[in-house]
Amino acid sequence: MIFLRYLLLWGGAAMIAAAIGILARDLYLATKHKQQAATAEAGQPSPPAPFIHWRSAIALALLAWGPILLALGIVVVPSGMGGVRISQTSGTLPGTLYPGAHFLTPLAESIVLFDTCDQLFTTGAVEDGKMLAGKRVPAGELLNVQAKEGLSLGLAVTVRYRLDPKHLDYIQANLPQPIEKEIVPAVVASAWRELVPNYTVREVFATRREEIRKKAADAITQRLAADGIVVKEVMLRDIQLPPEYAKGLEDLLLKEQEDDQMGVQTDIQQKQVRIAELQAEATKAQQVKQAEGEAQVRVLQAKAEADAMQYTLPLKQKQIEQI
């Protein structure tokens, strides 16, 4: 279709150029004829004046607008885009023009294109220079909100969204343009600023962070869906605490770290005491066992000596009687 469009444009331009060429040739011949007539000798017959083809040139020029108008009526919607027809008499026409070739009423209708690919709205610095669809995501300022205590927090938020192709006519007819600057930032900021004041800084920063993110995502999704914008993901990337709160939190963390270190040292000392107790008990048990072993040896030796005496005493008595 693009080739056909350019072919019609080139054909119309060629017809206009041909009409101009015809008139230029005829005017040149007429001028030359006048010069010859002025320099001709008296009594010498002059050649007939050349005919200027006004009607043919005008007709050819008017016919040239046919293919030009047809070419102007052919539009091509690129991939990843959607189009809406705008009539000079009726305003925005219903329906969406999807990627491909379409025909409009020349001079009476125009087309407005919208990007239907995923887009990002981001507050705060973007990590690693992220890019989407070959475009660098612009970094904005932190979203400032107030917590329940009245302290100001800075939120680094990213919202991933896209325009619903089925509602492009409604977006063009009813919403301020461009959407990514006029609608999305205001809705996102309003949702967070209505939600965060119900929570304390500690809840926002740590204990109920995921709960708050889900509630904000639901609110943003619901509000933007009414305007034909599909929200795919809401991310709470970072939270900037107030300076005084961050300082107090840092001191608290240092104290907790010191307490943890003291607890670890106490555990180590308790284990060392327990090890010493176990070693003492082991030494005591070893000594008891050794003493018991020595006592048993003495008993056995005494028993052996007693048994030996039972045999040696009768022999000594016999020796004494013989003497």
Side-chain angles (χ1 to χ4, degrees):
M1 294 298 294
I2 295 179
F3 175 75
L4 177 60
R5 182 172 186 269
Y6 284 113
L7 183 63
L8 291 173
L9 287 174
W10 292 337
M15 294 173 69
I16 293 176
I20 295 174
I22 291 173
L23 287 177
R25 176 180 176 276
D26 291 345
L27 292 174
Y28 171 75
L29 294 176
T31 303
K32 189 175 182 180
H33 176 268
K34 289 181 179 180
Q35 291 177 353
Q36 290 177 353
T39 58
E41 296 179 358
Q44 185 179 0
S46 59
F51 179 73
I52 300 178
H53 302 81
W54 291 103
R55 292 185 178 180
S56 299
I58 293 174
L60 188 60
L62 292 177
L63 288 175
W65 284 102
I68 292 176
L69 290 177
L70 289 176
L72 294 177
I74 299 175
V75 295
V76 177
V77 179
S79 177
M81 305 285 286
V84 177
R85 293 176 299 164
I86 308 297
S87 173
Q88 300 297 329
T89 58
S90 304
T92 302
L93 299 179
T96 299
L97 301 181
Y98 293 93
H102 304 273
F103 184 78
L104 305 179
T105 302
L107 303 180
E109 294 179 356
S110 59
I111 186 173
V112 177
L113 296 178
F114 291 91
D115 188 354
T116 57
C117 296
D118 287 358
Q119 302 181 54
L120 291 181
F121 168 72
T122 300
T123 65
V126 181
E127 294 81 359
D128 302 328
K130 292 181 179 178
M131 302 183 69
L132 179 67
K135 300 178 182 178
R136 187 172 296 277
V137 179
E141 297 181 355
L142 289 172
L143 177 60
N144 294 320
V145 297
Q146 284 190 340
K148 195 171 185 178
E149 302 92 336
L151 297 176
S152 179
L153 300 175
L155 304 182
V157 178
T158 296
V159 179
R160 181 185 173 197
Y161 68 95
R162 65 190 294 263
L163 302 183
D164 188 353
K166 298 179 181 179
H167 297 87
L168 293 183
D169 50 354
Y170 172 83
I171 294 174
Q172 170 61 28
N174 298 280
L175 301 182
Q177 305 296 328
I179 295 294
E180 61 274 10
K181 293 182 179 180
E182 299 294 337
I183 298 295
V184 176
V187 172
V188 172
S190 176
W192 284 102
R193 286 170 179 163
E194 291 178 4
L195 181 63
V196 173
N198 298 320
Y199 299 89
T200 63
V201 174
R202 183 178 181 85
E203 290 173 340
V204 175
F205 183 73
T207 58
R208 305 179 70 178
R209 179 170 180 165
E210 182 60 20
E211 174 188 340
I212 296 171
R213 187 201 65 80
K214 288 183 179 180
K215 288 185 177 181
D218 293 340
I220 294 170
T221 301
Q222 183 177 0
R223 295 181 185 182
L224 291 181
D227 292 329
I229 302 173
V230 179
V231 177
K232 292 188 173 182
E233 188 177 8
V234 177
M235 294 168 278
L236 179 57
R237 306 188 330 273
D238 192 17
I239 299 176
Q240 183 177 358
L241 298 173
E244 61 275 10
Y245 190 92
K247 179 61 177 176
L249 181 60
E250 183 179 357
D251 294 340
L252 179 61
L253 292 175
L254 290 176
K255 291 181 180 179
E256 290 180 353
Q257 185 177 5
E258 292 176 356
D259 292 341
D260 292 340
Q261 291 177 352
M262 292 180 63
V264 171
Q265 293 176 357
T266 302
D267 291 340
I268 293 175
Q269 291 176 355
Q270 289 178 352
K271 290 179 180 179
Q272 290 176 348
V273 171
R274 182 58 180 167
I275 291 172
E277 291 177 353
L278 293 175
Q279 290 177 347
E281 291 178 359
T283 302
K284 180 179 177 181
Q286 184 178 4
Q287 292 175 353
V288 170
K289 291 292 184 181
Q290 185 176 359
E292 290 177 353
E294 293 176 353
Q296 290 178 357
V297 170
R298 293 193 191 97
V299 171
L300 292 175
Q301 290 177 351
K303 187 177 180 180
E305 291 176 356
D307 292 341
M309 290 295 295
Q310 291 179 357
Y311 294 102
T312 56
L313 285 176
L315 292 175
K316 288 184 177 182
Q317 287 179 355
K318 290 181 179 181
Q319 291 177 357
I320 294 171
E321 290 174 356
Q322 290 176 359
I323 296 173

